[in-house]
């Protein structure tokens, strides 16, 4: 593992997405791929059988992802929205920010396992997220990165309703 710290937090919606992916992999994709492997194996010479090779590889990938998600779901702590968070930036917040050049970004502060495939989600462990936690609307904050130090302003803060404990 690289030196990246991973705080074991996840939003309610992020946890549900991981759980749903695990369910889909285990109940649908794995049995379907297993059937294809069995079918391809029944055709004989496996060394020359592209269907067999491909589906066997796919099965290994599914199993690896299933193990990873199961470990995640065991270790992750779900952070539900709390009304006390209102008006301030905390884990799970959507934040609209702007810099002096007028560049605007809308970002959500989430757990490490929720950032992949999303360019609008940042890890709670990132310099940007760490710099804004606890801040309120109209506050300014500085972010230090390898590219230098940058000043941003918070225009707006809101929370997802699907992360509220019902």
């Amino acid at each position: 593992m690289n030196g990246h710290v991973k705080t074991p937090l996840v939003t309610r919606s992020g946890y549900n997405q991981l759980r749903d992916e695990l369910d889909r992999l285990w109940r649908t994709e794995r049995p379907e791929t297993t059937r294809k492997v069995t079918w391809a194996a029944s055709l004989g010479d496996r060394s020359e059988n592209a269907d067999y090779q491909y589906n066997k590889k796919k099965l290994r990938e599914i199993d690896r992802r299933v193990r990873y998600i199961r470990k995640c779901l065991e270790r992750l702590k779900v952070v539900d929205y709390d009304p006390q968070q209102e008006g301030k930036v905390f884990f799970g917040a959507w934040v609209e920010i702007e810099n002096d050049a007028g560049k605007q970004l809308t970002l959500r502060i989430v757990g490490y396992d929720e950032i992949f495939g999303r360019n609008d989600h940042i890890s709670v462990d990132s310099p940007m997220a760490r710099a804004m936690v606890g801040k309120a609307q109209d506050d300014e904050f500085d972010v230090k990165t390898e590219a230098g130090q940058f000043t941003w302003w918070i225009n707006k803060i809101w929370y997802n309703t699907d992360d509220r404990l019902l």
Side-chain angles (χ1 to χ4, degrees), residues 25-78:
L25 287 170
W26 192 249
R27 293 179 190 271
T28 308
E29 287 192 35
R30 193 178 194 289
E32 199 175 282
T33 306
T34 302
R35 275 193 297 278
K36 288 177 184 172
V37 167
T38 305
W39 170 80
S42 74
L43 300 177
D45 187 6
R46 294 174 189 180
S47 63
E48 297 290 317
N49 189 327
D51 277 331
Y52 177 81
Q53 308 262 323
Y54 170 78
N55 286 296
K56 198 74 177 153
K57 180 178 185 279
K58 188 176 174 189
L59 198 55
R60 282 194 303 273
E61 289 165 3
I62 290 170
D63 286 346
R64 192 175 307 121
R65 182 70 181 158
V66 162
R67 279 193 306 276
Y68 177 79
I69 294 172
R70 282 188 174 147
K71 280 183 189 155
C72 283
L73 295 177
E74 283 173 21
R75 116 187 120 70
L76 291 172
K77 179 184 182 302
V78 176

Side-chain angles (χ1 to χ4, degrees), residues 6-162:
K6 290 194 250 181
T7 304
L9 302 178
V10 67
T11 61
R12 172 72 50 195
S13 56
Y15 184 89
N16 291 343
Q17 284 174 343
L18 282 169
R19 192 198 57 221
D20 293 348
E21 181 185 354
L22 176 62
D23 195 53
R24 181 180 47 77
L25 287 170
W26 192 249
R27 293 179 190 271
T28 308
E29 287 192 35
R30 193 178 194 289
E32 199 175 282
T33 306
T34 302
R35 275 193 297 278
K36 288 177 184 172
V37 167
T38 305
W39 170 80
S42 74
L43 300 177
D45 187 6
R46 294 174 189 180
S47 63
E48 297 290 317
N49 189 327
D51 277 331
Y52 177 81
Q53 308 262 323
Y54 170 78
N55 286 296
K56 198 74 177 153
K57 180 178 185 279
K58 188 176 174 189
L59 198 55
R60 282 194 303 273
E61 289 165 3
I62 290 170
D63 286 346
R64 192 175 307 121
R65 182 70 181 158
V66 162
R67 279 193 306 276
Y68 177 79
I69 294 172
R70 282 188 174 147
K71 280 183 189 155
C72 283
L73 295 177
E74 283 173 21
R75 116 187 120 70
L76 291 172
K77 179 184 182 302
V78 176
V79 177
D80 286 307
Y81 166 83
D82 184 317
Q84 293 177 322
Q85 294 174 291
E86 224 35 74
K88 296 244 186 212
V89 177
F90 291 108
F91 185 83
W94 279 98
V95 188
E96 181 187 283
I97 58 175
E98 187 172 346
N99 66 13
D100 331 358
K103 179 179 182 176
Q104 284 190 346
L105 295 173
T106 300
L107 302 168
R108 185 168 192 213
I109 299 174
V110 295
Y112 176 79
D113 296 293
E114 298 177 80
I115 62 176
F116 301 100
R118 298 290 307 250
N119 60 2
D120 60 349
H121 282 42
I122 60 171
S123 169
V124 66
D125 300 312
S126 68
M128 177 74 85
R130 284 200 306 264
M132 31 174 154
V133 165
K135 301 282 192 267
Q137 188 170 322
D138 299 324
D139 281 356
E140 85 173 40
F141 63 96
D142 293 322
V143 181
K144 278 188 176 164
T145 65
E146 285 122 28
Q149 183 165 317
F150 302 94
T151 302
W152 293 84
W153 287 268
I154 297 177
N155 291 338
K156 193 172 153 192
I157 303 163
W158 70 98
Y159 290 87
N160 269 10
T161 53
D162 62 349

